[in-house]
């Protein structure tokens, strides 16, 4: 249940294009730790990724104050050079 709440927070965060895996693991102390993968667009600057990550961490802590740590792994899409890529290389990612 906590993982689905965290996923909703991540999906609602401005600047986050996609959300990959979201795991909630238990630390040695018994407290939950959130590990999530966030997707960003190719034009997103590193400074923006850092700022958005800070906002996301704060939102998670507001929604789930029992979380002791938040580990975010950013994925930044590489810019494309070809304006008309062949259709056999398209990959559609689900948001499940």
């Amino acid at each position: 249940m906590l993982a689905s709440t965290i996923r909703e927070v991540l999906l609602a965060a401005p600047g986050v294009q996609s959300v990959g895996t979201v795991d909630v693991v238990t630390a040695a102390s018994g407290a939950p730790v959130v590990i999530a993968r966030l997707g960003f667009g190719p034009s997103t600057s590193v400074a923006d990724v850092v700022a958005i990550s800070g906002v996301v961490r704060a939102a998670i802590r507001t929604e789930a104050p029992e979380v002791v740590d938040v580990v975010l792994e950013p994925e930044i899409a590489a810019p494309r050079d070809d304006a008309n890529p062949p259709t056999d290389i398209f990959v559609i990612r689900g948001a499940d």
Side-chain angles (χ1 to χ4, degrees), residues 21-93:
T21 57
V22 176
D23 292 319
V24 179
V25 297
T26 304
S29 65
V33 175
V34 173
I35 303 169
R37 185 174 293 186
L38 304 178
F40 297 94
S43 62
T44 307
S45 69
V46 173
D48 287 342
V49 170
V50 171
I52 293 167
S53 297
V55 170
V56 166
R57 281 187 178 90
I60 290 171
R61 291 187 196 286
T62 299
E63 196 65 34
E66 68 274 16
V67 170
V68 294
D69 200 7
V70 178
V71 179
L72 301 175
E73 181 182 348
E75 286 186 343
I76 301 173
R80 297 200 53 108
D81 292 334
D82 51 347
N84 297 313
T87 57
D88 64 334
I89 63 167
F90 284 114
V91 176
I92 299 173
R93 297 178 80 182

